Structure formats: structure tokens, C-alpha cells
PDB file of all heavy atoms in Angstrom:
ATOM      1  N   THR N   1       0.844  -1.195   0.000  1.00 98.00           N
ATOM      2  CA  THR N   1       0.000   0.000   0.000  1.00 98.00           C
ATOM      3  C   THR N   1       0.882   1.248   0.000  1.00 98.00           C
ATOM      4  O   THR N   1       1.573   1.534   0.972  1.00 98.00           O
ATOM      5  CB  THR N   1      -0.935   0.012   1.222  1.00 98.00           C
ATOM      6  OG1 THR N   1      -0.188  -0.320   2.399  1.00 98.00           O
ATOM      7  CG2 THR N   1      -2.059  -0.996   1.063  1.00 98.00           C
ATOM      8  N   GLN N   2       0.830   1.978  -1.109  1.00 98.00           N
ATOM      9  CA  GLN N   2       1.623   3.188  -1.285  1.00 98.00           C
ATOM     10  C   GLN N   2       0.714   4.411  -1.229  1.00 98.00           C
ATOM     11  O   GLN N   2      -0.416   4.371  -1.708  1.00 98.00           O
ATOM     12  CB  GLN N   2       2.319   3.169  -2.644  1.00 98.00           C
ATOM     13  CG  GLN N   2       3.135   1.915  -2.908  1.00 98.00           C
ATOM     14  CD  GLN N   2       3.572   1.862  -4.354  1.00 98.00           C
ATOM     15  OE1 GLN N   2       4.622   2.374  -4.726  1.00 98.00           O
ATOM     16  NE2 GLN N   2       2.748   1.247  -5.195  1.00 98.00           N
ATOM     17  N   THR N   3       1.249   5.499  -0.684  1.00 98.00           N
ATOM     18  CA  THR N   3       0.446   6.709  -0.542  1.00 98.00           C
ATOM     19  C   THR N   3       1.113   7.896  -1.230  1.00 98.00           C
ATOM     20  O   THR N   3       2.333   7.985  -1.322  1.00 98.00           O
ATOM     21  CB  THR N   3       0.222   7.060   0.937  1.00 98.00           C
ATOM     22  OG1 THR N   3       1.467   7.404   1.546  1.00 98.00           O
ATOM     23  CG2 THR N   3      -0.411   5.889   1.671  1.00 98.00           C
ATOM     24  N   ILE N   4       0.274   8.803  -1.693  1.00 97.00           N
ATOM     25  CA  ILE N   4       0.711  10.057  -2.302  1.00 97.00           C
ATOM     26  C   ILE N   4      -0.016  11.209  -1.636  1.00 97.00           C
ATOM     27  O   ILE N   4      -0.954  11.016  -0.873  1.00 97.00           O
ATOM     28  CB  ILE N   4       0.448  10.075  -3.822  1.00 97.00           C
ATOM     29  CG1 ILE N   4      -1.026   9.759  -4.118  1.00 97.00           C
ATOM     30  CG2 ILE N   4       1.372   9.089  -4.532  1.00 97.00           C
ATOM     31  CD1 ILE N   4      -1.397   9.898  -5.588  1.00 97.00           C
ATOM     32  N   LYS N   5       0.438  12.422  -1.933  1.00 96.00           N
ATOM     33  CA  LYS N   5      -0.178  13.661  -1.445  1.00 96.00           C
ATOM     34  C   LYS N   5      -0.032  13.831   0.067  1.00 96.00           C
ATOM     35  O   LYS N   5      -0.827  14.536   0.696  1.00 96.00           O
ATOM     36  CB  LYS N   5      -1.658  13.742  -1.845  1.00 96.00           C
ATOM     37  CG  LYS N   5      -1.934  13.488  -3.316  1.00 96.00           C
ATOM     38  CD  LYS N   5      -1.250  14.501  -4.212  1.00 96.00           C
ATOM     39  CE  LYS N   5      -1.655  14.348  -5.660  1.00 96.00           C
ATOM     40  NZ  LYS N   5      -0.973  13.220  -6.348  1.00 96.00           N
ATOM     41  N   SER N   6       0.969  13.230   0.666  1.00 96.00           N
ATOM     42  CA  SER N   6       1.137  13.323   2.120  1.00 96.00           C
ATOM     43  C   SER N   6       1.363  14.755   2.581  1.00 96.00           C
ATOM     44  O   SER N   6       0.915  15.140   3.658  1.00 96.00           O
ATOM     45  CB  SER N   6       2.307  12.452   2.572  1.00 96.00           C
ATOM     46  OG  SER N   6       3.517  12.869   1.950  1.00 96.00           O
ATOM     47  N   VAL N   7       2.081  15.556   1.781  1.00 96.00           N
ATOM     48  CA  VAL N   7       2.419  16.919   2.198  1.00 96.00           C
ATOM     49  C   VAL N   7       1.630  17.963   1.410  1.00 96.00           C
ATOM     50  O   VAL N   7       2.030  19.118   1.320  1.00 96.00           O
ATOM     51  CB  VAL N   7       3.937  17.177   2.090  1.00 96.00           C
ATOM     52  CG1 VAL N   7       4.701  16.212   2.989  1.00 96.00           C
ATOM     53  CG2 VAL N   7       4.429  17.079   0.651  1.00 96.00           C
ATOM     54  N   ALA N   8       0.497  17.551   0.844  1.00 94.00           N
ATOM     55  CA  ALA N   8      -0.324  18.508   0.101  1.00 94.00           C
ATOM     56  C   ALA N   8      -0.939  19.534   1.053  1.00 94.00           C
ATOM     57  O   ALA N   8      -1.433  19.198   2.130  1.00 94.00           O
ATOM     58  CB  ALA N   8      -1.422  17.779  -0.655  1.00 94.00           C
ATOM     59  N   ARG N   9      -0.899  20.777   0.629  1.00 93.00           N
ATOM     60  CA  ARG N   9      -1.490  21.871   1.413  1.00 93.00           C
ATOM     61  C   ARG N   9      -2.862  22.255   0.878  1.00 93.00           C
ATOM     62  O   ARG N   9      -3.828  22.354   1.623  1.00 93.00           O
ATOM     63  CB  ARG N   9      -0.544  23.079   1.367  1.00 93.00           C
ATOM     64  CG  ARG N   9      -0.941  24.252   2.236  1.00 93.00           C
ATOM     65  CD  ARG N   9       0.098  25.358   2.087  1.00 93.00           C
ATOM     66  NE  ARG N   9      -0.111  26.452   3.005  1.00 93.00           N
ATOM     67  CZ  ARG N   9       0.636  27.573   3.023  1.00 93.00           C
ATOM     68  NH1 ARG N   9       1.648  27.707   2.155  1.00 93.00           N
ATOM     69  NH2 ARG N   9       0.374  28.524   3.898  1.00 93.00           N
ATOM     70  N   ARG N  10      -2.944  22.465  -0.439  1.00 90.00           N
ATOM     71  CA  ARG N  10      -4.202  22.850  -1.080  1.00 90.00           C
ATOM     72  C   ARG N  10      -3.934  22.947  -2.578  1.00 90.00           C
ATOM     73  O   ARG N  10      -2.796  22.821  -3.038  1.00 90.00           O
ATOM     74  CB  ARG N  10      -4.685  24.197  -0.553  1.00 90.00           C
ATOM     75  CG  ARG N  10      -3.689  25.325  -0.761  1.00 90.00           C
ATOM     76  CD  ARG N  10      -4.002  26.538   0.075  1.00 90.00           C
ATOM     77  NE  ARG N  10      -2.937  27.538  -0.013  1.00 90.00           N
ATOM     78  CZ  ARG N  10      -2.664  28.414   0.941  1.00 90.00           C
ATOM     79  NH1 ARG N  10      -3.377  28.425   2.064  1.00 90.00           N
ATOM     80  NH2 ARG N  10      -1.688  29.302   0.805  1.00 90.00           N
ATOM     81  N   ARG N  11      -4.977  23.177  -3.344  1.00 88.00           N
ATOM     82  CA  ARG N  11      -4.797  23.494  -4.759  1.00 88.00           C
ATOM     83  C   ARG N  11      -4.157  24.874  -4.879  1.00 88.00           C
ATOM     84  O   ARG N  11      -4.317  25.721  -3.994  1.00 88.00           O
ATOM     85  CB  ARG N  11      -6.144  23.490  -5.483  1.00 88.00           C
ATOM     86  CG  ARG N  11      -6.887  22.171  -5.403  1.00 88.00           C
ATOM     87  CD  ARG N  11      -8.227  22.276  -6.112  1.00 88.00           C
ATOM     88  NE  ARG N  11      -9.080  21.143  -5.791  1.00 88.00           N
ATOM     89  CZ  ARG N  11     -10.323  21.010  -6.220  1.00 88.00           C
ATOM     90  NH1 ARG N  11     -10.862  21.947  -6.984  1.00 88.00           N
ATOM     91  NH2 ARG N  11     -11.035  19.951  -5.885  1.00 88.00           N
ATOM     92  N   TRP N  12      -3.470  25.074  -5.970  1.00 81.00           N
ATOM     93  CA  TRP N  12      -2.861  26.382  -6.190  1.00 81.00           C
ATOM     94  C   TRP N  12      -3.940  27.456  -6.324  1.00 81.00           C
ATOM     95  O   TRP N  12      -4.989  27.231  -6.928  1.00 81.00           O
ATOM     96  CB  TRP N  12      -2.018  26.364  -7.458  1.00 81.00           C
ATOM     97  CG  TRP N  12      -0.740  25.607  -7.335  1.00 81.00           C
ATOM     98  CD1 TRP N  12      -0.456  24.392  -7.866  1.00 81.00           C
ATOM     99  CD2 TRP N  12       0.443  26.016  -6.628  1.00 81.00           C
ATOM    100  NE1 TRP N  12       0.824  24.006  -7.543  1.00 81.00           N
ATOM    101  CE2 TRP N  12       1.398  24.976  -6.791  1.00 81.00           C
ATOM    102  CE3 TRP N  12       0.780  27.141  -5.882  1.00 81.00           C
ATOM    103  CZ2 TRP N  12       2.668  25.052  -6.224  1.00 81.00           C
ATOM    104  CZ3 TRP N  12       2.046  27.215  -5.315  1.00 81.00           C
ATOM    105  CH2 TRP N  12       2.972  26.192  -5.496  1.00 81.00           C
ATOM    106  N   THR N  13      -3.653  28.608  -5.778  1.00 80.00           N
ATOM    107  CA  THR N  13      -4.517  29.767  -5.952  1.00 80.00           C
ATOM    108  C   THR N  13      -3.686  30.915  -6.502  1.00 80.00           C
ATOM    109  O   THR N  13      -2.543  31.106  -6.094  1.00 80.00           O
ATOM    110  CB  THR N  13      -5.157  30.195  -4.617  1.00 80.00           C
ATOM    111  OG1 THR N  13      -4.125  30.473  -3.656  1.00 80.00           O
ATOM    112  CG2 THR N  13      -6.064  29.094  -4.081  1.00 80.00           C
ATOM    113  N   GLY N  14      -4.253  31.656  -7.435  1.00 69.00           N
ATOM    114  CA  GLY N  14      -3.523  32.773  -8.019  1.00 69.00           C
ATOM    115  C   GLY N  14      -2.453  32.294  -8.989  1.00 69.00           C
ATOM    116  O   GLY N  14      -2.327  31.111  -9.299  1.00 69.00           O
ATOM    117  N   ASP N  15      -1.658  33.220  -9.439  1.00 72.00           N
ATOM    118  CA  ASP N  15      -0.624  32.931 -10.443  1.00 72.00           C
ATOM    119  C   ASP N  15       0.729  32.775  -9.762  1.00 72.00           C
ATOM    120  O   ASP N  15       1.668  33.526 -10.015  1.00 72.00           O
ATOM    121  CB  ASP N  15      -0.591  34.045 -11.491  1.00 72.00           C
ATOM    122  CG  ASP N  15       0.307  33.695 -12.661  1.00 72.00           C
ATOM    123  OD1 ASP N  15       0.515  32.482 -12.896  1.00 72.00           O
ATOM    124  OD2 ASP N  15       0.811  34.621 -13.323  1.00 72.00           O
ATOM    125  N   VAL N  16       0.834  31.810  -8.880  1.00 67.00           N
ATOM    126  CA  VAL N  16       2.079  31.564  -8.163  1.00 67.00           C
ATOM    127  C   VAL N  16       3.051  30.811  -9.070  1.00 67.00           C
ATOM    128  O   VAL N  16       2.704  29.775  -9.638  1.00 67.00           O
ATOM    129  CB  VAL N  16       1.820  30.749  -6.880  1.00 67.00           C
ATOM    130  CG1 VAL N  16       3.124  30.482  -6.149  1.00 67.00           C
ATOM    131  CG2 VAL N  16       0.830  31.476  -5.981  1.00 67.00           C
ATOM    132  N   GLN N  17       4.248  31.320  -9.194  1.00 69.00           N
ATOM    133  CA  GLN N  17       5.275  30.680 -10.013  1.00 69.00           C
ATOM    134  C   GLN N  17       6.602  30.694  -9.268  1.00 69.00           C
ATOM    135  O   GLN N  17       6.873  31.626  -8.513  1.00 69.00           O
ATOM    136  CB  GLN N  17       5.418  31.416 -11.357  1.00 69.00           C
ATOM    137  CG  GLN N  17       4.170  31.407 -12.223  1.00 69.00           C
ATOM    138  CD  GLN N  17       3.767  30.030 -12.696  1.00 69.00           C
ATOM    139  OE1 GLN N  17       4.609  29.137 -12.795  1.00 69.00           O
ATOM    140  NE2 GLN N  17       2.484  29.853 -12.971  1.00 69.00           N
ATOM    141  N   PRO N  18       7.468  29.719  -9.431  1.00 76.00           N
ATOM    142  CA  PRO N  18       7.237  28.497 -10.216  1.00 76.00           C
ATOM    143  C   PRO N  18       6.428  27.481  -9.437  1.00 76.00           C
ATOM    144  O   PRO N  18       6.313  27.563  -8.216  1.00 76.00           O
ATOM    145  CB  PRO N  18       8.659  27.991 -10.447  1.00 76.00           C
ATOM    146  CG  PRO N  18       9.414  28.435  -9.232  1.00 76.00           C
ATOM    147  CD  PRO N  18       8.824  29.773  -8.853  1.00 76.00           C
ATOM    148  N   ARG N  19       5.871  26.532 -10.164  1.00 71.00           N
ATOM    149  CA  ARG N  19       5.116  25.439  -9.556  1.00 71.00           C
ATOM    150  C   ARG N  19       5.835  24.128  -9.870  1.00 71.00           C
ATOM    151  O   ARG N  19       5.988  23.778 -11.035  1.00 71.00           O
ATOM    152  CB  ARG N  19       3.685  25.402 -10.094  1.00 71.00           C
ATOM    153  CG  ARG N  19       2.868  26.645  -9.773  1.00 71.00           C
ATOM    154  CD  ARG N  19       1.450  26.514 -10.297  1.00 71.00           C
ATOM    155  NE  ARG N  19       0.644  27.688  -9.970  1.00 71.00           N
ATOM    156  CZ  ARG N  19      -0.651  27.808 -10.240  1.00 71.00           C
ATOM    157  NH1 ARG N  19      -1.282  26.810 -10.856  1.00 71.00           N
ATOM    158  NH2 ARG N  19      -1.319  28.907  -9.913  1.00 71.00           N
ATOM    159  N   PHE N  20       6.236  23.421  -8.843  1.00 74.00           N
ATOM    160  CA  PHE N  20       6.967  22.174  -9.042  1.00 74.00           C
ATOM    161  C   PHE N  20       6.105  20.948  -8.737  1.00 74.00           C
ATOM    162  O   PHE N  20       6.587  19.820  -8.809  1.00 74.00           O
ATOM    163  CB  PHE N  20       8.226  22.161  -8.175  1.00 74.00           C
ATOM    164  CG  PHE N  20       9.199  23.243  -8.545  1.00 74.00           C
ATOM    165  CD1 PHE N  20       9.346  24.371  -7.748  1.00 74.00           C
ATOM    166  CD2 PHE N  20       9.942  23.156  -9.710  1.00 74.00           C
ATOM    167  CE1 PHE N  20      10.244  25.378  -8.093  1.00 74.00           C
ATOM    168  CE2 PHE N  20      10.833  24.157 -10.070  1.00 74.00           C
ATOM    169  CZ  PHE N  20      10.989  25.273  -9.257  1.00 74.00           C
ATOM    170  N   SER N  21       4.858  21.170  -8.381  1.00 78.00           N
ATOM    171  CA  SER N  21       3.896  20.082  -8.252  1.00 78.00           C
ATOM    172  C   SER N  21       2.532  20.650  -8.601  1.00 78.00           C
ATOM    173  O   SER N  21       2.343  21.869  -8.599  1.00 78.00           O
ATOM    174  CB  SER N  21       3.893  19.518  -6.824  1.00 78.00           C
ATOM    175  OG  SER N  21       3.511  20.504  -5.888  1.00 78.00           O
ATOM    176  N   TRP N  22       1.580  19.785  -8.941  1.00 82.00           N
ATOM    177  CA  TRP N  22       0.279  20.302  -9.380  1.00 82.00           C
ATOM    178  C   TRP N  22      -0.531  20.825  -8.203  1.00 82.00           C
ATOM    179  O   TRP N  22      -1.520  21.526  -8.384  1.00 82.00           O
ATOM    180  CB  TRP N  22      -0.488  19.267 -10.179  1.00 82.00           C
ATOM    181  CG  TRP N  22      -1.067  18.123  -9.418  1.00 82.00           C
ATOM    182  CD1 TRP N  22      -0.529  16.886  -9.257  1.00 82.00           C
ATOM    183  CD2 TRP N  22      -2.318  18.110  -8.713  1.00 82.00           C
ATOM    184  NE1 TRP N  22      -1.347  16.108  -8.492  1.00 82.00           N
ATOM    185  CE2 TRP N  22      -2.460  16.819  -8.143  1.00 82.00           C
ATOM    186  CE3 TRP N  22      -3.328  19.045  -8.499  1.00 82.00           C
ATOM    187  CZ2 TRP N  22      -3.558  16.453  -7.382  1.00 82.00           C
ATOM    188  CZ3 TRP N  22      -4.428  18.679  -7.728  1.00 82.00           C
ATOM    189  CH2 TRP N  22      -4.530  17.397  -7.180  1.00 82.00           C
ATOM    190  N   TYR N  23      -0.146  20.480  -6.974  1.00 90.00           N
ATOM    191  CA  TYR N  23      -0.778  21.040  -5.794  1.00 90.00           C
ATOM    192  C   TYR N  23       0.250  21.868  -5.037  1.00 90.00           C
ATOM    193  O   TYR N  23       1.455  21.686  -5.182  1.00 90.00           O
ATOM    194  CB  TYR N  23      -1.306  19.929  -4.877  1.00 90.00           C
ATOM    195  CG  TYR N  23      -0.216  19.005  -4.372  1.00 90.00           C
ATOM    196  CD1 TYR N  23       0.507  19.294  -3.222  1.00 90.00           C
ATOM    197  CD2 TYR N  23       0.113  17.842  -5.063  1.00 90.00           C
ATOM    198  CE1 TYR N  23       1.519  18.463  -2.767  1.00 90.00           C
ATOM    199  CE2 TYR N  23       1.130  17.003  -4.615  1.00 90.00           C
ATOM    200  CZ  TYR N  23       1.831  17.321  -3.472  1.00 90.00           C
ATOM    201  OH  TYR N  23       2.838  16.514  -3.036  1.00 90.00           O
ATOM    202  N   GLU N  24      -0.218  22.791  -4.211  1.00 90.00           N
ATOM    203  CA  GLU N  24       0.692  23.559  -3.365  1.00 90.00           C
ATOM    204  C   GLU N  24       1.077  22.706  -2.157  1.00 90.00           C
ATOM    205  O   GLU N  24       0.207  22.264  -1.398  1.00 90.00           O
ATOM    206  CB  GLU N  24       0.020  24.845  -2.892  1.00 90.00           C
ATOM    207  CG  GLU N  24       0.934  25.716  -2.039  1.00 90.00           C
ATOM    208  CD  GLU N  24       0.271  26.989  -1.561  1.00 90.00           C
ATOM    209  OE1 GLU N  24      -0.881  27.257  -1.975  1.00 90.00           O
ATOM    210  OE2 GLU N  24       0.900  27.715  -0.751  1.00 90.00           O
ATOM    211  N   PRO N  25       2.358  22.449  -1.947  1.00 93.00           N
ATOM    212  CA  PRO N  25       2.757  21.626  -0.805  1.00 93.00           C
ATOM    213  C   PRO N  25       2.913  22.457   0.461  1.00 93.00           C
ATOM    214  O   PRO N  25       3.013  23.686   0.417  1.00 93.00           O
ATOM    215  CB  PRO N  25       4.111  21.074  -1.251  1.00 93.00           C
ATOM    216  CG  PRO N  25       4.677  22.169  -2.115  1.00 93.00           C
ATOM    217  CD  PRO N  25       3.498  22.792  -2.816  1.00 93.00           C
ATOM    218  N   LEU N  26       2.939  21.768   1.576  1.00 96.00           N
ATOM    219  CA  LEU N  26       3.298  22.422   2.824  1.00 96.00           C
ATOM    220  C   LEU N  26       4.744  22.900   2.744  1.00 96.00           C
ATOM    221  O   LEU N  26       5.591  22.256   2.115  1.00 96.00           O
ATOM    222  CB  LEU N  26       3.163  21.448   3.993  1.00 96.00           C
ATOM    223  CG  LEU N  26       1.746  21.010   4.366  1.00 96.00           C
ATOM    224  CD1 LEU N  26       1.797  19.805   5.305  1.00 96.00           C
ATOM    225  CD2 LEU N  26       0.974  22.162   4.998  1.00 96.00           C
ATOM    226  N   PRO N  27       5.061  24.007   3.365  1.00 95.00           N
ATOM    227  CA  PRO N  27       6.456  24.469   3.376  1.00 95.00           C
ATOM    228  C   PRO N  27       7.287  23.621   4.333  1.00 95.00           C
ATOM    229  O   PRO N  27       6.758  22.944   5.229  1.00 95.00           O
ATOM    230  CB  PRO N  27       6.340  25.909   3.879  1.00 95.00           C
ATOM    231  CG  PRO N  27       5.116  25.891   4.750  1.00 95.00           C
ATOM    232  CD  PRO N  27       4.174  24.933   4.112  1.00 95.00           C
ATOM    233  N   ASN N  28       8.583  23.675   4.134  1.00 96.00           N
ATOM    234  CA  ASN N  28       9.494  22.996   5.048  1.00 96.00           C
ATOM    235  C   ASN N  28       9.267  23.512   6.470  1.00 96.00           C
ATOM    236  O   ASN N  28       9.208  24.719   6.696  1.00 96.00           O
ATOM    237  CB  ASN N  28      10.935  23.243   4.619  1.00 96.00           C
ATOM    238  CG  ASN N  28      11.935  22.493   5.466  1.00 96.00           C
ATOM    239  OD1 ASN N  28      11.570  21.569   6.192  1.00 96.00           O
ATOM    240  ND2 ASN N  28      13.192  22.871   5.374  1.00 96.00           N
TER     241      ASN N  28
END
């Protein structure tokens, strides 16, 4: 059983660049 999106924060909002994943991740 493998999991993804563990550190997902939310969908991107606004024109934030650059984007290195399709969702906005949690910051370090």
C-alpha cells in the first residue's frame, strides 16, 4: 500500500510561479 499527497497543502490559488507540483505543498 503506497500513498501520495502526504504533504499537500491545497490546490494552487492565483498565479504563483514556479510550480513544481500540481498542488501547493506544505512548506518545510
Side-chain angles (χ1 to χ4, degrees):
T1 46
Q2 307 170 89
T3 66
I4 54 174
K5 310 299 187 282
S6 60
V7 300
R9 186 180 187 183
R10 58 196 173 207
R11 301 178 193 177
W12 287 106
T13 57
D15 189 24
V16 179
Q17 298 295 335
R19 297 182 179 184
F20 297 105
S21 62
W22 73 263
Y23 61 87
E24 182 180 355
L26 291 166
N28 184 16

